[in-house]
Amino acid sequence: MNKVRIITDSASDLPKRFLTEHEIRVVPMRTLFADGEYVDGVTITPSQFYEKLIESDDFPTTSQPSPMEFTEVYREVREAGDTAVIITLSSKLSGTYQSAQIALEGFEDCIFLVDSLNAAMGEGALVERAVQLRGMGLTASEIAETLETDRVRLRLIALLDTLEYLKKGGRISKAAAFAGGLLSIKPVVAVEDGEVKLLGKARGSKQGNNMLNRLVGETGGVDFSLPIRLGYSGLSDTLLRKYIEDSRELWHYDRSDLSVDIVGSTIGTHAGPGAIAVAFFSKE
């Protein structure tokens, strides 16, 4: 029986246990430090990445997979007689979607490409949604079509320790980064329409957590029937665990297995250490 495969890039930051359990193929991104190139999740782990980021004087850069890498994956799908849904990092944040699209020529009958218009925990939530839909018996084409509808309600909101890394990576203006760096300000950002937007600034982590919860509420509420992913950057999940505990009225529900995962090197390069992020589908 032909299978529906689910394929994503490593910026979705899904844990290996989830990838293995659901047979999800990952096309890796790359991170470049002064001492060489590292393949995300293959030759460098998230913990090793943050150790290097903190210790290194140089700012790393990231690069997307090539069209040839996607072509090889597509060819494997066709030769097996399968179909596949490809879910990528936002096309407005990376050239990954473009690489996957360039490789699509000649494979349109078996490959269905979806731009997540999101990143990290947000992209991962859309991949998890694809797993749900596959379990419901939908075809690859139907899954891709449903994801493009569902992504309108997908939200990713994050509390950062600093805007410095987004500024260095050119993802936010120097003026916005300067304003965020004053008086121990903790910036709150979101991915909206595929791009990083500064939503507000809070003085300290406690006010930041409160703002995070208020912004989650303003989206129309969390649809708990759909995937929820929470993430952190850096070497410790203490800040995220504290946030969950302080926000238990918001995040406590009949599923006790809230997914808490580490943000990998692709997005961690731009978020920096000390960030927490929540990704969910809004009710409206």
Side-chain angles (χ1 to χ4, degrees):
M1 182 176 178
N2 294 347
K3 294 193 302 184
V4 174
R5 301 191 189 196
I6 296 173
I7 299 164
T8 187
D9 55 64
S10 59
S12 57
D13 291 332
L14 289 158
K16 287 188 176 180
R17 64 183 182 279
F18 183 87
L19 298 171
T20 301
E21 179 182 354
H22 299 287
E23 299 181 322
I24 296 169
R25 173 74 175 271
V26 174
V27 181
M29 311 282 280
R30 286 167 173 76
T31 303
L32 289 82
F33 281 93
D35 64 353
E37 179 182 88
Y38 296 85
V39 183
D40 190 10
V42 178
T43 60
I44 190 167
T45 66
S47 294
Q48 290 169 337
F49 163 74
Y50 287 111
E51 288 171 358
K52 288 184 68 66
L53 183 66
I54 293 166
E55 294 170 0
S56 179
D57 291 330
D58 69 291
F59 182 73
T61 58
T62 58
S63 64
Q64 71 265 14
S66 68
M68 182 61 69
E69 289 176 83
F70 281 103
T71 298
E72 291 175 3
V73 174
Y74 297 173
R75 190 174 292 121
E76 288 178 19
V77 173
R78 168 171 285 168
E79 289 176 355
D82 296 335
T83 56
V85 181
I86 318 293
I87 302 158
T88 73
L89 175 62
S90 171
S91 60
K92 297 180 182 180
L93 297 176
S94 164
T96 304
Y97 176 81
Q98 284 82 358
S99 287
Q101 193 172 45
I102 290 168
L104 192 61
E105 185 175 356
F107 294 95
E108 294 90 347
D109 59 328
C110 61
I111 303 296
F112 300 87
L113 182 58
V114 177
D115 180 354
S116 74
L117 292 177
N118 223 292
M121 281 53 239
E123 183 186 353
L126 204 65
V127 175
E128 188 175 345
R129 176 60 174 154
V131 171
Q132 284 185 343
L133 295 168
R134 181 176 63 181
M136 294 162 57
L138 273 66
T139 66
S141 173
E142 291 168 338
I143 292 171
E145 185 177 350
T146 304
L147 292 180
E148 289 177 349
T149 300
D150 288 347
R151 74 184 175 190
V152 175
R153 295 192 290 131
L154 180 58
R155 305 283 181 260
L156 173 64
I157 306 176
L159 174 66
L160 307 183
D161 188 53
T162 174
L163 285 173
E164 186 65 21
Y165 292 89
L166 279 173
K167 184 194 78 173
K168 287 180 178 179
R171 294 304 191 273
I172 202 163
S173 72
K174 291 183 179 180
F178 176 76
L182 299 175
L183 303 173
S184 299
I185 293 296
K186 302 292 183 184
V188 179
V189 302
V191 176
E192 294 182 352
D193 299 321
E195 298 181 293
V196 178
K197 301 288 178 64
L198 179 61
L199 297 186
K201 300 183 285 287
R203 194 161 296 169
S205 296
K206 184 175 181 180
Q207 284 190 13
N209 289 348
N210 290 339
M211 181 179 289
L212 201 61
N213 285 346
R214 177 174 60 79
L215 291 168
V216 169
E218 288 176 359
T219 65
V222 179
D223 186 340
F224 288 105
S225 68
L226 295 179
I228 298 166
R229 304 199 77 87
L230 288 82
Y232 66 96
S233 65
L235 297 172
S236 170
D237 65 356
T238 301
L239 291 174
L240 180 56
R241 296 292 180 184
K242 178 75 165 56
Y243 166 73
I244 294 171
E245 176 62 26
D246 292 345
S247 311
R248 54 188 175 275
E249 291 184 3
L250 176 61
W251 297 109
H252 179 71
Y253 58 105
D254 58 357
R255 236 173 47 184
S256 60
D257 60 338
L258 271 177
S259 179
V260 174
D261 302 310
I262 188 169
V263 175
S265 59
T266 301
I267 303 304
T269 294
H270 304 289
I276 62 174
V278 297
F280 59 95
F281 293 84
S282 64
K283 291 180 181 177
E284 300 175 4

